[in-house]
């Protein structure tokens, strides 16, 4: 009976076995839930770390499932189909499961009831006095073993003898009994005392076949549906897994479709195909696509026209299209080809072919055809135009690199040979070369300024030759009209031949057959003419080349005019500068001076120098530099030089002279600051030196200027340490002087910074080069200047260079006499006698009267107004110099005495009898001097 009752594995929720099964299933379920919870906790971190990558995947999937694209529409459609199938399968499976469960319940309840009714002792127990006592334990045991909800035994009246609930025993059975009383077993669904249920009723028969009782076994509806309900989560999980797999597969397919369709929708794909088809047949290049077997798959309209293909050529083999063998072989082979030229009929086709398989396998090929018949002619003209543009560009870059008229003309000739002409000549007016504006150049000779050619033996006028062009010549016509002229055949040009019959015949015999003349003009100003000659090419110049020549010369004319203007301004500035510099050096016996002055090639500057004779046979040598170039620097230099001349007349020490110059430059800056367009003079430097040939002492002061060099008689070179003051115009600090003892024959070298410093050389390196040059130079000042300039300055100076070399001389001690005069009037007579004797010794008897008169007046003034000691000195140099010194700093002033004044005429007489007189101050007082010309 146990085996019969165990036909189904489904257990009832009631009874001990059912409860144990529920408890066991509950523990298993809890364990599974705990493990799932742990797994979820362990994977949280991994899920967070992979969130970025999952987000990218979601974004890609979202683009794939978008409904706008064809791939998205396919995806949504497939997902809907899969979802409907899965839902239908789940519903059908649930209904089938419920039906099977109900049928199983009917079969089990009927089997349990029949088994219990036919069990031995059941009929006898019904006839026992207390059937319940006998049957109740048996019915409960059968119920538990068979996993049904109840087993009820009743009499033929339906009164219960057994029931799972004892309080229901003795009560009326709920259900149909008639078929069972008639001896038939049946099942039914009713609402009994346990609720809705499925039950079977079976008759209990005695040995005679009479119905003595009834047995009913049943299962409630709750337990009948429990089996299906327990299977439903598994069914739903399987459905969800199937849906996920189907969705993933659909997504992969849609994603691949998305890549192939590039995210386009059906309408967009249709429009794209229409556009591509329109473009394919509208392009002016033939397109042919062939398959791996050489079958023509596609040919656009241009390919049909170029290859003369039949109307229905697509689908046929290329060998059957009637093409030339080389063209058919190329299309059939599918090999790579790049700009291969094939003759097809009367056309030259440039063919490019590539395989359609990117891996290079011969699965097919695509070829493009381009008709190059007309392109060759067009490319030739385009190349010529490109070469002309390149020539104009090179001319713009290479012509006018400098500001020299001659060099600019040479650059024009060089850039045109041999790219445009075989020979080029440039003829300019002499006034243009000097920077002036030419007047009428038609009747005036022009100078051949530049000549360039492929050979040097051409019978053209030589470089530098003056040429007067006749009016009938092409050059004369261009000069008079200002228009370019093309002469295609020189052998037939009578006007050109009239220029020089013999030379014209030589030119034609040489092979020059065509020319172009273009006037060099800027506005109405005609500066000369350029002639382009052709000999190598048999074709003459044409109209396009005439226009090119005009453009070429027009660009060069601007550069030549700029160079001409610069030459004029540079000449004016150099003229101004040289007019402000000393033209000749004054005569003096203290120094043997030589100098060099080199103006900058890029523009005149403000370098200057001067040699100034002073009283007492002394000489001042000054050199300066105004920073900058141009007329302003030159004008400023002239103002400073004039100021030095005026300040030197005061016979002041070098430091005071520089102080006065510093104040002057400051005032000039203040005046020019009031003008918006004025340029300040800051940056002027100066070095002032006074040499005394009697004491052989040189007193030097400098304001921001490079130090002087002293070359001893033995050839040693030294740069004395002279304090460097601030440049002129900055002010604020006094200048300092340095006394140098110079032996006779020493060379004092003064210079400006342009000699020792430039952009490529530091001043220290320049000083070392100067030292080496001075050490190797000859003893004469002129030779020293030449040696220095050969060793130091660059080929193209960017700054002015002033160089002065002064060799020191000493005044013979026999020509200097000095007396100390007592401060008493009687000493004047003694002094006159001594002077007369000395003048007689020197052979200057003619000057005795005037000298005695001058010294008497000067000594008398010193005794009357000055302080002792009083000294008198005579110097016999280029002039006779009389000096009277005392310790007083009060200088006499020349005035005009009235007719009634008894005195005041002494200085007036001195000024009339001498060539010059003055006062100079010394640290011990003053010196009043007067000079007389020698007889």
């Amino acid at each position: 009976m146990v085996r019969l009752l165990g036909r189904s594995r489904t257990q009832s929720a009631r009874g001990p076995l059912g409860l144990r099964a529920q408890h066991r299933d509950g523990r298993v379920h809890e364990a599974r839930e705990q493990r799932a919870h742990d797994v979820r906790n362990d994977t949280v971190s991994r899920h967070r770390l992979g969130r970025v990558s999952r987000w990218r995947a979601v974004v890609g999937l979202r683009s794939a499932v978008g409904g706008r694209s064809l791939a998205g529409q396919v995806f949504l459609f497939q997902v809907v189909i899969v979802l409907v199938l899965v839902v239908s399968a789940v519903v059908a499976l649930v209904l089938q499961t419920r039906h099977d469960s109900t049928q199983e319940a009917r079969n089990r309840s009927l089997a349990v009831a029949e088994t219990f009714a036919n069990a031995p002792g059941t009929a006898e127990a019904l006839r026992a006095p207390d059937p319940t006592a006998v049957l109740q334990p048996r019915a409960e045991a059968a119920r538990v073993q068979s996993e049904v909800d109840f087993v009820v035994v009743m009499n033929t009246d339906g009164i219960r003898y057994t029931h799972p609930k004892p309080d229901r025993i003795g009560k009326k059975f709920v259900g149909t009994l008639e078929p069972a009383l008639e001896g038939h077993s049946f099942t039914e669904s009713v609402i009994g005392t346990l609720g809705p249920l499925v039950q079977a009723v079976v008759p209990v028969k005695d040995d005679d076949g009479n119905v003595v009782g009834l047995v009913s076994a049943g299962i409630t509806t709750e337990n009948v549906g429990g089996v299906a309900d327990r299977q439903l989560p598994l069914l739903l999980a399987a459905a969800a897994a199937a849906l996920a797999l189907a969705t993933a597969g659909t997504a992969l397919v849609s994603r691949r479709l998305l890549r192939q369709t590039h995210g386009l929708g059906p309408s967009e794909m249709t429009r794209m195909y229409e556009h591509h088809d329109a473009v394919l047949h509208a392009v002016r290049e033939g397109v042919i696509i062939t398959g791996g077997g050489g079958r023509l798959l596609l040919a656009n309209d241009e390919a049909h026209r170029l290859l003369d293909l039949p109307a229905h050529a697509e689908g046929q083999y290329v060998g059957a299209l009637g093409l030339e063998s080389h063209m058919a072989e190329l299309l059939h082979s599918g090999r790579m080809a790049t700009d291969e030229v094939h003759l097809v009929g009367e056309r030259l086709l440039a063919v490019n072919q590539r395989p359609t398989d990117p891996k290079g396998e011969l699965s097919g090929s695509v070829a493009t055809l381009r008709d190059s018949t007309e392109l060759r002619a067009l490319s030739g003209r385009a190349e010529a135009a490109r070469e002309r543009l390149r020539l104009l560009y090179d001319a713009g870059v290479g012509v006018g690199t400098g500001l020299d008229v001659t060099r600019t003309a040479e650059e024009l000739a060089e850039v045109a040979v041999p790219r445009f002409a075989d020979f080029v000549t440039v003829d300019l007016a002499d006034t243009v070369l000097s920077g002036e504006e030419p007047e009428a150049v038609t009747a005036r000779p022009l100078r051949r300024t530049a000549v360039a050619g492929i050979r040097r033996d051409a019978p053209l006028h030589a470089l530098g030759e003056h040429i007067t062009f006749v009016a009938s010549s092409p050059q004369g016509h261009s000069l008079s009209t200002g228009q370019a002229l093309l002469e295609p055949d020189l052998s037939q040009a009578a006007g050109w031949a009239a220029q020089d019959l013999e030379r014209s015949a030589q030119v034609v015999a040489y092979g020059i057959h065509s020319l172009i003349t273009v006037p060099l003009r800027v506005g109405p100003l005609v500066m000369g003419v350029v002639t382009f000659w052709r000999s190598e090419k048999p074709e003459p110049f044409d109209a396009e080349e005439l226009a090119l020549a005009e453009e070429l010369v027009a660009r060069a004319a601007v550069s030549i005019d700029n160079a001409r203007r610069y030459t004029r301004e540079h000449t004016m500035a150099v003229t101004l500068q040289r007019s402000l510099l000393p033209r000749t050096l004054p005569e003096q016996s203290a120094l043997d001076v030589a100098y060099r002055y080199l103006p900058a090639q890029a523009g005149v500057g403000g370098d200057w120098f001067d040699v100034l004779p002073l009283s007492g046979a002394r000489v001042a040598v000054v050199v300066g530099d105004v920073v900058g170039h141009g007329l302003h620097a030159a004008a400023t230099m002239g103002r400073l030089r004039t100021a030095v001349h005026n300040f030197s007349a005061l016979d002041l020490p070098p430091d005071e002279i520089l102080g006065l110059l510093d104040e002057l430059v400051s005032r000039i800056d203040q005046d020019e600051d009031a003008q918006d367009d004025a340029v300040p003079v800051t940056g002027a430097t100066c070095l002032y030196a006074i040499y005394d040939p009697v004491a052989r002492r040189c007193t030097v002061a400098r304001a921001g200027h490079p130090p002087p060099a002293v070359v001893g008689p033995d050839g040693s070179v030294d740069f004395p340490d002279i304090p460097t003051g601030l440049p002129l115009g900055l002010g604020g600090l006094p200048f300092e002087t340095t006394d140098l003892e110079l032996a006779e024959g020493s060379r004092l070298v003064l210079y400006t910074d342009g000699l020792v410093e430039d952009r490529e050389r530091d001043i220290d390196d320049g000083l070392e080069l100067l030292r080496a040059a001075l050490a190797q130079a000859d003893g004469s000042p002129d030779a020293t200047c030449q040696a220095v300039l050969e060793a130091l300055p660059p080929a193209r100076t960017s700054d002015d260079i002033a160089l002065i070399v002064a060799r020191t001389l000493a005044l013979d001690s026999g020509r200097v006499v000095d007396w100390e005069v007592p401060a008493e009037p009687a000493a004047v007579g003694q002094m006159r006698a001594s002077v007369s004797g000395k003048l007689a010794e020197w052979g200057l008897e003619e000057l005795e009267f005037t000298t005695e008169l001058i010294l008497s007046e000067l000594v008398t003034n010193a005794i009357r107004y000055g302080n002792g000691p009083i000294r008198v000195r005579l110097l016999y140099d280029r002039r006779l110099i009389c000096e009277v010194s005392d310790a007083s700093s009060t200088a006499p002033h020349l005035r005009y005495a009235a007719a009634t004044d008894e005195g005041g005429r002494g200085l007036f007489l001195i000024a009339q009898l001498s060539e010059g007189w003055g006062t100079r101050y010394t640290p011990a007082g003053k010196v009043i001097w007067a000079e007389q010309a020698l007889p």
Side-chain angles (χ1 to χ4, degrees), residues 584-633:
T584 59
L585 297 180
E587 295 181 357
Q588 43 82 29
S589 302
L591 297 172
D592 182 11
V593 181
Y595 69 92
R596 295 289 190 276
Y597 189 89
L598 301 179
Q601 296 184 10
V604 297
D607 293 11
W608 55 281
F609 67 95
D610 225 327
V611 178
L612 306 172
L614 302 178
S615 63
R618 296 172 305 133
V619 176
V621 182
V622 58
V623 63
D625 182 9
V626 177
V627 177
H629 296 86
L631 293 176
H632 180 78

Side-chain angles (χ1 to χ4, degrees), residues 597-931:
Y597 189 89
L598 301 179
Q601 296 184 10
V604 297
D607 293 11
W608 55 281
F609 67 95
D610 225 327
V611 178
L612 306 172
L614 302 178
S615 63
R618 296 172 305 133
V619 176
V621 182
V622 58
V623 63
D625 182 9
V626 177
V627 177
H629 296 86
L631 293 176
H632 180 78
T636 303
M637 175 266 290
R639 298 168 72 177
L640 292 180
R641 181 170 178 262
T642 302
V644 169
H645 271 267
N646 294 332
F647 293 150
S648 65
L650 301 176
D651 219 341
L652 298 175
D655 56 338
E656 296 186 21
I657 294 290
L658 294 182
L660 294 175
L661 288 175
D662 183 63
E663 294 180 3
L664 173 64
V665 173
S666 299
R667 288 195 298 270
I668 293 175
D669 286 344
Q670 292 176 2
D671 294 340
E672 293 184 348
D673 285 342
Q675 302 178 7
D676 296 337
D677 57 347
V679 181
V681 193
T682 55
T685 64
C686 184
L687 187 148
Y688 196 94
I690 298 177
Y691 175 69
D692 187 354
V694 177
R696 296 191 304 275
R697 179 181 292 111
C698 184
T699 304
V700 185
R702 59 181 179 138
H705 203 80
V710 177
V711 184
D714 57 351
S716 62
V717 182
D718 183 30
F719 291 94
D721 186 12
I722 300 175
T724 304
L726 295 176
L728 300 178
L730 299 182
L733 294 176
F735 299 96
E736 300 181 33
T737 60
T738 300
D739 291 335
L740 303 176
E741 294 290 341
L742 301 180
E744 185 177 2
S746 299
R747 284 169 287 172
L748 180 66
V749 181
L750 308 181
Y751 52 91
T752 56
D753 59 353
L755 180 68
V756 295
E757 183 180 16
D758 57 24
R759 296 178 180 178
E760 300 178 355
R761 182 175 58 199
D762 187 69
I763 187 172
D764 294 333
D765 299 334
L767 291 177
E768 290 301 321
L769 292 175
L770 177 61
R771 182 192 299 273
L774 291 175
Q776 299 176 1
D778 194 4
S780 67
D782 191 75
T784 302
C785 289
Q786 189 65 30
V788 169
L789 292 182
E790 290 177 356
L792 267 77
R796 183 177 180 85
T797 57
S798 59
D799 194 6
D800 292 354
I801 295 176
L803 174 64
I804 303 96
V805 178
R807 184 171 57 185
T808 61
L809 303 175
L811 189 62
D812 187 4
S813 59
R815 294 195 171 197
V816 180
V817 62
D818 190 359
W819 298 282
E820 184 175 352
V821 180
E824 55 186 24
V828 178
Q830 299 176 359
M831 184 272 303
R832 284 200 298 266
S834 300
V835 169
S836 296
K838 196 65 177 178
L839 291 179
E841 180 183 345
W842 288 344
L844 301 177
E845 291 85 355
E846 298 180 7
L847 300 179
E848 288 183 8
F849 176 75
T850 57
T851 303
E852 290 178 359
L853 183 60
I854 291 173
L855 287 178
S856 298
E857 182 64 28
L858 293 179
V859 172
T860 301
N861 287 340
I863 294 173
R864 181 178 298 178
Y865 304 108
N867 299 324
I870 301 173
R871 302 191 67 86
V872 174
R873 188 173 71 163
L874 289 181
L875 289 87
Y876 179 21
D877 192 25
R878 294 178 180 272
R879 290 181 176 88
L880 180 63
I881 303 172
C882 304
E883 296 181 348
V884 177
S885 63
D886 61 68
S888 174
S889 59
T890 303
H893 297 282
L894 177 65
R895 65 186 181 87
Y896 294 95
T900 59
D901 292 341
E902 295 182 358
R905 297 177 179 85
L907 291 180
F908 178 76
L909 291 175
I910 293 174
Q912 295 298 319
L913 296 175
S914 63
E915 289 193 354
W917 75 279
T919 304
R920 73 172 182 269
Y921 293 92
T922 65
K926 68 176 181 298
V927 176
I928 302 176
W929 56 270
E931 294 182 353

Side-chain angles (χ1 to χ4, degrees), residues 123-474:
E124 289 78 3
L126 289 173
R127 290 192 293 268
D130 190 3
T132 299
V134 178
L135 296 176
Q136 179 67 16
R138 297 180 180 178
E140 285 302 306
R143 182 183 65 82
V144 172
Q145 291 294 330
S146 61
E147 296 180 355
V148 294
D149 290 329
F150 65 89
V151 176
V152 175
V153 182
M154 67 195 83
N155 57 17
T156 56
D157 294 330
I159 302 301
R160 303 187 187 95
Y161 291 139
T162 63
H163 198 279
K165 296 180 179 181
D167 59 341
R168 302 294 175 91
I169 297 174
K171 295 182 178 180
K172 184 70 173 181
F173 176 78
V174 179
T176 303
L177 300 178
E178 286 76 9
L181 293 175
E182 295 177 356
H184 303 288
S185 298
F186 69 94
T187 60
E188 63 178 345
S189 297
V190 297
I191 299 176
T193 57
L194 298 179
L197 51 85
V198 176
Q199 63 183 6
V201 180
V202 178
V204 180
K205 297 180 180 179
D206 56 10
D207 296 335
D208 297 331
N210 297 320
V211 177
V212 295
L214 302 174
V215 176
S216 177
I219 300 176
T220 62
T221 304
E222 179 181 358
N223 289 333
V224 171
V227 176
D229 293 340
R230 286 192 296 272
Q231 294 177 352
L232 184 59
L234 180 60
L235 295 176
L236 294 178
L243 180 61
L245 291 175
T247 303
T250 303
L252 292 176
V253 174
S254 299
R255 188 173 182 179
R256 183 173 181 181
L257 183 60
L258 178 68
R259 288 197 302 267
Q260 295 178 350
T261 59
H262 300 284
L264 300 176
S267 60
E268 295 173 340
M269 292 185 65
T270 302
R271 185 168 59 254
M272 181 184 67
Y273 174 78
E274 294 173 350
H275 291 174
H276 286 189
D277 187 66
V279 170
L280 179 66
H281 294 285
V283 295
R284 295 292 295 173
E285 278 196 3
V287 179
I288 290 181
I289 300 177
T290 58
R295 187 184 297 273
L296 181 62
L297 302 180
L298 183 144
N300 66 345
D301 294 343
E302 184 67 10
H304 277 268
R305 186 183 71 85
L306 295 177
L307 297 178
D308 195 17
L309 297 176
H312 304 286
E314 286 80 357
Q316 301 183 27
Y317 290 98
V318 294
L321 297 177
L323 302 176
E324 282 79 356
S325 59
H326 55 85
M327 192 68 192
E329 186 275 332
L330 174 62
L331 296 177
H332 186 273
S333 64
R335 62 177 176 85
M336 294 181 60
T338 302
D339 289 336
E340 288 189 7
V341 179
H342 292 263
L343 180 61
V344 178
E346 297 180 355
R347 297 186 179 94
L348 286 175
L349 302 183
V351 183
N352 290 273
Q353 184 167 265
R354 294 293 184 274
T356 55
D357 191 343
K359 297 181 180 180
E361 298 179 3
L362 296 179
S363 59
S365 62
V366 56
T368 60
L369 314 173
R370 185 175 65 254
D371 191 356
S372 62
T373 306
E374 299 177 356
L375 290 179
R376 285 185 175 272
L378 292 176
S379 63
R381 291 194 294 269
E383 182 63 27
R386 184 163 52 250
E387 180 62 28
R388 292 170 184 173
L389 290 176
R390 189 181 298 111
L391 175 62
L392 291 177
Y393 172 79
D394 293 342
V397 174
V399 178
T401 58
L403 292 173
D404 183 78
V405 175
T406 302
R407 180 55 192 158
T408 304
E410 292 174 352
E411 291 172 346
L412 170 60
E414 292 170 358
V415 78
V417 175
R419 299 165 62 180
F420 178 68
D422 298 323
F423 300 93
V424 176
T425 57
V426 181
D427 305 309
L428 298 176
D430 287 333
T431 52
V432 175
L433 296 174
S434 61
E436 301 298 328
E437 291 188 2
E439 298 177 356
V441 296
T442 54
R444 295 179 180 271
L446 301 182
R447 182 184 295 273
R448 177 65 46 95
T449 307
V451 177
I454 57 176
R455 293 186 298 274
R456 297 185 179 181
D457 57 346
L460 302 174
H461 288 280
L463 184 66
E465 185 177 348
H466 281 88
I467 309 170
T468 302
F469 294 103
V470 299
S472 62
S473 65

